[in-house]
Coordinates of all heavy atoms in Angstrom, one line a residue:
M40 N 5.4 27.0 -5.4 CA 5.2 26.2 -4.2 C 4.9 24.8 -4.5 O 4.2 24.4 -5.5 CB 3.9 26.8 -3.5 CG 4.1 28.2 -3.0 SD 5.4 28.3 -1.7 CE 4.4 28.5 -0.3
K41 N 5.5 23.9 -3.7 CA 5.4 22.5 -3.9 C 4.7 22.0 -2.6 O 5.0 22.4 -1.5 CB 6.7 21.8 -4.1 CG 7.4 22.2 -5.4 CD 6.5 21.8 -6.6 CE 7.2 22.2 -7.8 NZ 6.4 21.9 -9.0
V42 N 3.8 21.0 -2.8 CA 3.1 20.4 -1.7 C 3.9 19.1 -1.3 O 4.3 18.3 -2.1 CB 1.7 20.0 -2.0 CG1 1.0 19.2 -0.9 CG2 0.9 21.2 -2.4
V43 N 4.3 19.0 0.0 CA 5.0 17.9 0.6 C 4.1 17.2 1.5 O 3.5 17.9 2.5 CB 6.3 18.4 1.3 CG1 7.0 17.2 1.9 CG2 7.2 19.1 0.3
K44 N 3.8 15.9 1.3 CA 3.0 15.1 2.2 C 3.8 14.1 3.0 O 4.7 13.5 2.4 CB 1.9 14.4 1.4 CG 0.9 15.4 0.7 CD -0.1 14.6 0.0 CE -1.1 15.6 -0.7 NZ -2.1 14.9 -1.5
V45 N 3.5 14.0 4.3 CA 4.2 13.0 5.1 C 3.2 12.2 5.8 O 2.0 12.6 6.0 CB 5.2 13.7 6.2 CG1 6.2 14.5 5.5 CG2 4.4 14.6 7.1
Y46 N 3.6 11.0 6.2 CA 2.6 10.0 6.7 C 3.2 9.3 8.0 O 4.4 9.4 8.2 CB 2.3 9.0 5.7 CG 1.6 9.6 4.4 CD1 2.4 9.9 3.3 CD2 0.3 9.8 4.4 CE1 1.9 10.5 2.2 CE2 -0.3 10.3 3.2 CZ 0.5 10.7 2.2 OH -0.1 11.2 1.0
G47 N 2.4 8.6 8.7 CA 2.9 7.7 9.7 C 3.5 8.5 10.9 O 3.1 9.6 11.3
P48 N 4.6 7.9 11.4 CA 5.3 8.5 12.6 C 5.8 9.9 12.3 O 5.9 10.7 13.2 CB 6.5 7.5 12.9 CG 6.0 6.2 12.3 CD 5.2 6.5 11.1
L49 N 6.2 10.1 11.0 CA 6.7 11.5 10.7 C 5.6 12.5 10.8 O 5.8 13.6 11.3 CB 7.3 11.5 9.3 CG 8.0 12.8 8.8 CD1 9.0 13.3 9.8 CD2 8.6 12.6 7.4
K50 N 4.4 12.1 10.3 CA 3.3 13.0 10.4 C 2.9 13.3 11.9 O 2.6 14.4 12.3 CB 2.1 12.4 9.7 CG 0.8 13.2 9.8 CD -0.3 12.5 9.1 CE -1.6 13.3 9.2 NZ -2.7 12.6 8.5
E51 N 3.0 12.2 12.7 CA 2.7 12.4 14.1 C 3.7 13.4 14.8 O 3.4 14.2 15.6 CB 2.8 11.1 14.8 CG 1.6 10.2 14.5 CD 1.7 8.8 15.1 OE1 2.4 8.6 16.1 OE2 1.2 7.8 14.5
R52 N 5.0 13.2 14.4 CA 6.1 14.1 15.0 C 5.9 15.5 14.6 O 6.1 16.4 15.4 CB 7.4 13.6 14.5 CG 8.6 14.5 15.0 CD 9.9 13.9 15.0 NE 11.0 14.8 15.2 CZ 11.3 15.2 16.4 NH1 10.7 14.8 17.5 NH2 12.4 16.1 16.6
L53 N 5.5 15.7 13.3 CA 5.4 17.1 12.8 C 4.0 17.8 13.1 O 3.9 19.0 12.9 CB 5.6 17.1 11.3 CG 7.0 16.6 10.9 CD1 7.2 16.7 9.4 CD2 8.1 17.3 11.6
G54 N 3.0 17.0 13.5 CA 1.7 17.5 13.9 C 0.8 17.7 12.8 O -0.4 18.0 13.0
R55 N 1.2 17.5 11.6 CA 0.3 17.5 10.4 C 0.9 16.8 9.3 O 2.1 16.5 9.3 CB -0.1 19.0 10.1 CG 1.0 19.9 9.6 CD 0.4 21.3 9.3 NE 1.3 21.9 8.4 CZ 2.1 23.0 8.7 NH1 2.1 23.4 10.0 NH2 2.8 23.5 7.8
G56 N 0.2 16.6 8.2 CA 0.7 15.8 7.1 C 1.0 16.5 5.8 O 1.6 16.0 4.9
T57 N 0.6 17.8 5.7 CA 0.8 18.5 4.4 C 1.5 19.9 4.7 O 1.2 20.6 5.6 CB -0.6 18.8 3.8 OG1 -1.2 17.5 3.6 CG2 -0.4 19.4 2.4
F58 N 2.5 20.1 3.8 CA 3.3 21.3 3.9 C 3.5 21.9 2.6 O 3.5 21.2 1.6 CB 4.7 21.0 4.5 CG 4.6 20.4 5.9 CD1 4.5 19.0 6.0 CD2 4.6 21.1 7.0 CE1 4.4 18.4 7.2 CE2 4.5 20.5 8.3 CZ 4.4 19.2 8.4
E59 N 3.6 23.2 2.5 CA 4.0 23.9 1.2 C 5.3 24.6 1.4 O 5.5 25.4 2.3 CB 2.9 24.9 0.8 CG 1.6 24.2 0.3 CD 0.6 25.1 -0.2 OE1 1.0 26.2 -0.7 OE2 -0.6 24.8 -0.2
F60 N 6.2 24.4 0.4 CA 7.5 25.0 0.4 C 7.8 25.6 -0.9 O 7.4 25.0 -2.0 CB 8.6 24.0 0.8 CG 8.5 23.5 2.2 CD1 8.2 22.2 2.4 CD2 8.7 24.3 3.3 CE1 8.1 21.7 3.7 CE2 8.6 23.8 4.6 CZ 8.3 22.5 4.8
N61 N 8.5 26.7 -1.0 CA 9.0 27.3 -2.2 C 10.4 26.6 -2.5 O 11.4 27.2 -2.2 CB 9.1 28.8 -2.1 CG 9.4 29.4 -3.4 OD1 9.3 28.8 -4.5 ND2 9.8 30.7 -3.4
V62 N 10.4 25.4 -3.1 CA 11.6 24.7 -3.3 C 11.6 24.2 -4.8 O 10.6 24.1 -5.4 CB 11.8 23.5 -2.3 CG1 11.9 24.0 -0.9 CG2 10.6 22.5 -2.4
E63 N 12.8 23.8 -5.2 CA 12.9 23.4 -6.6 C 13.2 21.9 -6.7 O 13.0 21.3 -7.8 CB 14.0 24.1 -7.3 CG 13.7 25.6 -7.4 CD 14.8 26.4 -8.1 OE1 15.7 25.7 -8.7 OE2 14.8 27.6 -8.1
T64 N 13.6 21.2 -5.6 CA 13.9 19.8 -5.7 C 13.4 19.1 -4.5 O 13.2 19.7 -3.4 CB 15.4 19.6 -5.8 OG1 16.0 20.0 -4.5 CG2 16.1 20.3 -6.9
P65 N 13.2 17.8 -4.5 CA 12.8 17.0 -3.4 C 13.8 17.1 -2.2 O 13.5 17.2 -1.1 CB 12.7 15.6 -3.9 CG 12.4 15.7 -5.3 CD 13.2 16.9 -5.8
A66 N 15.1 17.2 -2.5 CA 16.2 17.4 -1.5 C 16.0 18.7 -0.8 O 16.1 18.7 0.5 CB 17.6 17.3 -2.1
Q67 N 15.6 19.7 -1.5 CA 15.4 21.0 -0.8 C 14.1 20.9 0.1 O 14.1 21.6 1.1 CB 15.2 22.1 -1.8 CG 16.4 22.5 -2.6 CD 16.2 23.5 -3.6 OE1 15.1 23.9 -4.0 NE2 17.3 24.0 -4.2
A68 N 13.1 20.1 -0.3 CA 11.9 20.0 0.5 C 12.3 19.3 1.8 O 11.8 19.7 2.9 CB 10.9 19.2 -0.3
I69 N 13.1 18.2 1.8 CA 13.5 17.5 3.0 C 14.3 18.5 3.9 O 14.1 18.5 5.1 CB 14.4 16.3 2.6 CG1 13.5 15.3 1.9 CG2 15.0 15.7 3.9 CD1 14.2 14.1 1.2
K70 N 15.2 19.3 3.3 CA 16.0 20.3 4.0 C 15.1 21.3 4.7 O 15.2 21.7 5.8 CB 17.0 20.9 3.1 CG 17.9 21.9 3.9 CD 18.8 21.2 4.9 CE 19.8 22.1 5.5 NZ 20.6 21.5 6.6
A71 N 14.0 21.7 4.0 CA 13.1 22.7 4.5 C 12.4 22.1 5.7 O 12.1 22.9 6.7 CB 12.1 23.1 3.4
L72 N 12.0 20.9 5.7 CA 11.4 20.2 6.8 C 12.3 20.3 8.0 O 12.0 20.6 9.1 CB 11.0 18.8 6.5 CG 9.7 18.6 5.7 CD1 9.6 17.1 5.3 CD2 8.5 19.1 6.4
C73 N 13.6 19.9 7.8 CA 14.6 19.9 8.8 C 14.9 21.2 9.4 O 15.0 21.4 10.6 CB 15.9 19.2 8.3 SG 15.8 17.5 8.0
V74 N 14.9 22.3 8.6 CA 15.1 23.6 9.1 C 13.9 24.1 9.9 O 14.1 24.9 10.9 CB 15.4 24.6 7.9 CG1 15.3 26.0 8.3 CG2 16.7 24.2 7.2
N75 N 12.7 23.8 9.5 CA 11.5 24.3 10.2 C 11.1 23.5 11.4 O 10.3 23.9 12.2 CB 10.4 24.3 9.2 CG 10.5 25.5 8.3 OD1 10.2 26.6 8.6 ND2 10.9 25.2 7.0
F76 N 11.7 22.3 11.6 CA 11.4 21.5 12.8 C 12.7 21.1 13.5 O 13.4 20.2 13.1 CB 10.6 20.2 12.4 CG 9.2 20.6 11.9 CD1 9.0 20.8 10.5 CD2 8.1 20.7 12.8 CE1 7.7 21.1 10.1 CE2 6.9 21.1 12.3 CZ 6.7 21.3 10.9
E77 N 12.9 21.8 14.6 CA 14.1 21.6 15.4 C 14.2 20.1 15.8 O 13.3 19.5 16.3 CB 14.1 22.5 16.6 CG 15.4 22.4 17.4 CD 15.3 23.3 18.6 OE1 14.5 24.3 18.6 OE2 16.1 23.1 19.6
G78 N 15.4 19.6 15.6 CA 15.7 18.2 16.0 C 15.3 17.1 15.0 O 15.6 15.9 15.2
L79 N 14.7 17.6 13.9 CA 14.2 16.6 12.9 C 15.3 15.8 12.2 O 15.2 14.6 12.0 CB 13.3 17.2 11.9 CG 12.6 16.3 10.9 CD1 11.7 15.3 11.6 CD2 11.8 17.1 9.8
E80 N 16.4 16.6 11.8 CA 17.5 15.9 11.2 C 18.1 14.8 12.1 O 18.4 13.7 11.6 CB 18.5 16.9 10.8 CG 19.7 16.3 9.9 CD 20.6 17.4 9.4 OE1 20.4 18.6 9.6 OE2 21.5 17.0 8.7
K81 N 18.3 15.1 13.3 CA 18.8 14.2 14.3 C 17.8 13.0 14.4 O 18.3 11.8 14.5 CB 19.0 14.8 15.7 CG 19.6 13.8 16.7 CD 19.8 14.5 18.0 CE 20.4 13.6 19.1 NZ 20.0 12.2 19.1
W82 N 16.6 13.3 14.4 CA 15.5 12.2 14.5 C 15.7 11.3 13.3 O 15.6 10.0 13.5 CB 14.2 12.9 14.6 CG 13.0 11.9 14.9 CD1 12.7 11.4 16.1 CD2 12.0 11.5 13.9 NE1 11.6 10.6 15.9 CE2 11.1 10.7 14.6 CE3 11.8 11.8 12.6 CZ2 10.0 10.1 14.0 CZ3 10.7 11.2 12.0 CH2 9.8 10.3 12.7
F83 N 15.8 11.8 12.1 CA 16.0 11.0 10.9 C 17.3 10.1 11.1 O 17.3 8.9 10.8 CB 16.2 11.8 9.7 CG 14.9 12.3 9.1 CD1 14.8 13.6 8.6 CD2 13.8 11.5 8.9 CE1 13.7 14.1 8.1 CE2 12.6 12.0 8.3 CZ 12.6 13.3 7.9
I84 N 18.4 10.7 11.5 CA 19.6 10.0 11.7 C 19.5 8.9 12.8 O 19.9 7.7 12.6 CB 20.8 10.9 12.1 CG1 21.1 11.8 10.9 CG2 22.0 10.2 12.5 CD1 22.0 13.0 11.2
D85 N 18.9 9.2 13.9 CA 18.7 8.2 15.0 C 17.8 7.1 14.5 O 18.1 5.9 14.7 CB 18.0 8.9 16.2 CG 18.9 9.8 16.9 OD1 20.2 9.8 16.7 OD2 18.4 10.6 17.8
N86 N 16.8 7.4 13.7 CA 15.9 6.3 13.2 C 16.7 5.4 12.2 O 16.5 4.2 12.2 CB 14.7 6.9 12.5 CG 13.6 7.3 13.5 OD1 13.5 6.8 14.6 ND2 12.8 8.3 13.1
D87 N 17.5 6.0 11.4 CA 18.3 5.3 10.5 C 19.3 4.3 11.2 O 19.4 3.1 10.9 CB 19.2 6.2 9.6 CG 20.0 5.4 8.5 OD1 19.4 4.7 7.8 OD2 21.2 5.6 8.5
H88 N 19.9 4.8 12.3 CA 20.7 3.9 13.1 C 20.0 2.8 13.8 O 20.5 1.7 14.1 CB 21.4 4.7 14.2 CG 22.5 5.6 13.6 ND1 23.0 6.7 14.3 CD2 23.1 5.7 12.4 CE1 23.8 7.4 13.6 NE2 24.0 6.7 12.4
N89 N 18.7 3.0 13.9 CA 17.8 1.9 14.5 C 17.1 1.1 13.5 O 16.2 0.3 13.8 CB 16.8 2.6 15.5 CG 17.4 3.2 16.7 OD1 18.3 2.6 17.2 ND2 16.9 4.3 17.1
G90 N 17.5 1.2 12.2 CA 17.0 0.4 11.1 C 15.6 0.9 10.6 O 15.0 0.1 9.9
I91 N 15.2 2.1 10.9 CA 14.0 2.6 10.4 C 14.3 3.5 9.2 O 15.1 4.4 9.3 CB 13.2 3.4 11.5 CG1 13.0 2.5 12.7 CG2 12.0 4.1 11.0 CD1 12.5 3.2 14.0
A92 N 13.6 3.3 8.1 CA 13.8 4.0 6.9 C 12.5 4.6 6.5 O 11.4 4.2 6.9 CB 14.4 3.1 5.8
Y93 N 12.5 5.6 5.6 CA 11.4 6.2 5.0 C 11.4 6.2 3.5 O 12.4 6.2 2.9 CB 11.3 7.7 5.5 CG 11.2 7.8 7.0 CD1 12.3 7.8 7.8 CD2 9.9 7.8 7.5 CE1 12.1 7.9 9.2 CE2 9.7 7.8 8.9 CZ 10.9 7.8 9.7 OH 10.7 7.9 11.1
K94 N 10.2 6.1 2.9 CA 10.1 6.1 1.5 C 9.9 7.5 1.0 O 9.3 8.3 1.7 CB 8.8 5.4 1.0 CG 8.9 3.9 1.0 CD 7.8 3.3 0.2 CE 6.7 2.8 1.0 NZ 5.6 2.2 0.3
V95 N 10.6 7.8 -0.1 CA 10.4 9.1 -0.7 C 9.8 8.9 -2.1 O 10.4 8.2 -2.9 CB 11.7 9.9 -0.8 CG1 11.5 11.2 -1.6 CG2 12.3 10.2 0.5
L96 N 8.6 9.4 -2.3 CA 8.0 9.3 -3.6 C 7.9 10.7 -4.2 O 7.5 11.7 -3.6 CB 6.5 8.8 -3.5 CG 6.4 7.4 -3.0 CD1 4.9 7.1 -2.6 CD2 6.9 6.4 -4.1
V97 N 8.3 10.8 -5.5 CA 8.2 12.0 -6.2 C 7.2 11.7 -7.3 O 7.5 11.0 -8.3 CB 9.5 12.5 -6.8 CG1 9.3 13.8 -7.6 CG2 10.5 12.7 -5.7
G98 N 5.9 12.2 -7.1 CA 4.8 11.7 -8.0 C 4.6 10.3 -7.7 O 4.4 9.9 -6.5
D99 N 4.7 9.4 -8.7 CA 4.6 8.0 -8.4 C 5.9 7.3 -8.5 O 6.0 6.1 -8.5 CB 3.6 7.4 -9.4 CG 4.0 7.5 -10.8 OD1 4.9 8.2 -11.1 OD2 3.2 7.0 -11.7
R100 N 7.0 8.0 -8.6 CA 8.4 7.5 -8.7 C 9.0 7.3 -7.3 O 9.2 8.3 -6.6 CB 9.2 8.4 -9.5 CG 10.6 7.9 -9.7 CD 10.9 7.6 -11.2 NE 12.3 7.4 -11.4 CZ 12.9 6.2 -11.5 NH1 12.1 5.1 -11.5 NH2 14.1 6.1 -11.7
L101 N 9.4 6.1 -7.0 CA 10.0 5.8 -5.7 C 11.5 6.1 -5.8 O 12.2 5.7 -6.7 CB 9.8 4.3 -5.3 CG 10.5 3.9 -4.0 CD1 9.9 4.6 -2.8 CD2 10.4 2.4 -3.9
I102 N 12.0 6.9 -4.9 CA 13.5 7.2 -4.8 C 14.1 6.1 -4.0 O 13.7 5.9 -2.8 CB 13.7 8.6 -4.2 CG1 13.0 9.7 -5.0 CG2 15.2 8.9 -4.2 CD1 13.4 9.8 -6.4
T103 N 15.1 5.5 -4.5 CA 15.8 4.4 -3.8 C 17.3 4.7 -3.8 O 17.8 5.7 -4.3 CB 15.6 3.0 -4.5 OG1 16.3 3.1 -5.8 CG2 14.2 2.7 -4.7
R104 N 18.1 3.8 -3.2 CA 19.6 4.1 -3.1 C 20.1 4.0 -4.6 O 21.1 4.7 -4.8 CB 20.2 3.0 -2.3 CG 19.9 3.1 -0.8 CD 20.7 2.1 0.0 NE 20.2 2.0 1.4 CZ 20.6 2.8 2.3 NH1 21.4 3.8 2.1 NH2 20.1 2.6 3.5
E105 N 19.5 3.3 -5.5 CA 20.0 3.2 -6.8 C 19.7 4.5 -7.7 O 20.4 4.7 -8.6 CB 19.4 2.0 -7.5 CG 19.9 0.7 -7.1 CD 19.3 0.3 -5.7 OE1 18.2 0.6 -5.4 OE2 20.0 -0.4 -4.9
N106 N 18.7 5.3 -7.3 CA 18.4 6.5 -8.0 C 18.4 7.7 -7.1 O 17.7 8.7 -7.4 CB 17.1 6.4 -8.8 CG 15.9 6.2 -8.0 OD1 16.0 5.9 -6.8 ND2 14.7 6.4 -8.5
L107 N 19.2 7.7 -6.1 CA 19.2 8.8 -5.1 C 19.5 10.1 -5.7 O 19.0 11.1 -5.2 CB 20.3 8.4 -4.0 CG 20.2 9.1 -2.7 CD1 18.8 8.8 -2.0 CD2 21.3 8.6 -1.8
E108 N 20.2 10.2 -6.8 CA 20.6 11.5 -7.4 C 19.3 12.2 -7.8 O 19.3 13.4 -8.0 CB 21.5 11.3 -8.6 CG 20.9 10.6 -9.8 CD 20.8 9.1 -9.7 OE1 21.3 8.5 -8.8 OE2 20.2 8.5 -10.6
E109 N 18.2 11.5 -8.0 CA 16.9 12.1 -8.4 C 16.4 13.1 -7.4 O 15.5 13.9 -7.7 CB 15.9 11.1 -8.8 CG 16.3 10.3 -10.1 CD 15.2 9.3 -10.5 OE1 14.0 9.5 -10.3 OE2 15.6 8.4 -11.2
L110 N 16.9 13.0 -6.1 CA 16.4 13.9 -5.1 C 16.9 15.4 -5.5 O 16.3 16.3 -5.0 CB 17.0 13.6 -3.7 CG 16.4 12.4 -3.0 CD1 17.1 12.1 -1.7 CD2 14.9 12.7 -2.7
D111 N 17.9 15.5 -6.3 CA 18.4 16.8 -6.7 C 17.8 17.2 -8.1 O 18.2 18.3 -8.6 CB 19.9 16.8 -6.8 CG 20.5 16.8 -5.4 OD1 20.0 17.5 -4.5 OD2 21.5 16.0 -5.2
Y112 N 17.0 16.4 -8.7 CA 16.4 16.8 -10.0 C 15.2 17.8 -9.7 O 14.4 17.6 -8.8 CB 15.8 15.6 -10.7 CG 16.7 14.6 -11.2 CD1 18.1 14.7 -11.1 CD2 16.3 13.4 -11.9 CE1 19.0 13.8 -11.6 CE2 17.2 12.5 -12.4 CZ 18.5 12.7 -12.3 OH 19.4 11.8 -12.8
P113 N 15.1 18.8 -10.5 CA 14.0 19.8 -10.3 C 12.7 19.1 -10.6 O 12.5 18.3 -11.4 CB 14.3 20.8 -11.4 CG 15.7 20.6 -11.9 CD 16.0 19.2 -11.6
W114 N 11.7 19.6 -9.8 CA 10.3 19.2 -10.0 C 9.8 19.8 -11.3 O 10.2 21.0 -11.6 CB 9.4 19.6 -8.9 CG 9.2 18.6 -7.8 CD1 8.9 17.3 -8.0 CD2 9.3 18.8 -6.4 NE1 8.8 16.7 -6.8 CE2 9.0 17.6 -5.8 CE3 9.6 19.9 -5.6 CZ2 9.0 17.5 -4.4 CZ3 9.5 19.8 -4.2 CH2 9.2 18.6 -3.7
S115 N 9.0 19.1 -12.0 CA 8.5 19.7 -13.3 C 7.2 20.5 -12.9 O 6.7 20.4 -11.9 CB 8.2 18.6 -14.3 OG 7.3 17.7 -13.7

């Protein structure tokens, strides 16, 4: 099980800030959130179109467009 923490408007939308998922990668954790919360994927897309972005941290490592492939790296 991996602990996923969300903050700000995403936390408000989901109703809480901490989730546990049986996933192997950060990308799977994001997908698990989208599967468990109807309309969340569309909400992310709509926010992106409106210039709103979210930070993804894996430990203390920030995932950016330059290292996006790390979303598919297994958690240690």
Side-chain angles (χ1 to χ4, degrees):
M40 294 295 254
K41 295 297 180 187
V42 175
V43 177
K44 295 182 181 180
V45 299
Y46 301 92
L49 182 56
K50 179 180 177 180
E51 290 174 24
R52 175 161 172 81
L53 302 181
R55 65 179 203 253
T57 303
F58 303 88
E59 289 188 25
F60 295 113
N61 186 15
V62 295
E63 296 181 12
T64 68
Q67 289 176 354
I69 294 167
K70 184 65 175 178
L72 284 171
C73 290
V74 166
N75 283 283
F76 292 93
E77 185 177 338
L79 184 61
E80 187 172 359
K81 181 181 181 323
W82 188 75
F83 281 135
I84 293 167
D85 290 346
N86 281 333
D87 183 56
H88 290 160
N89 292 323
I91 300 169
Y93 295 90
K94 282 198 261 182
V95 176
L96 294 169
V97 179
D99 60 355
R100 180 117 169 105
L101 178 64
I102 305 298
T103 65
R104 292 185 193 278
E105 289 75 31
N106 65 344
L107 201 55
E108 71 280 353
E109 291 183 30
L110 286 176
D111 288 318
Y112 290 2
W114 266 312
S115 57

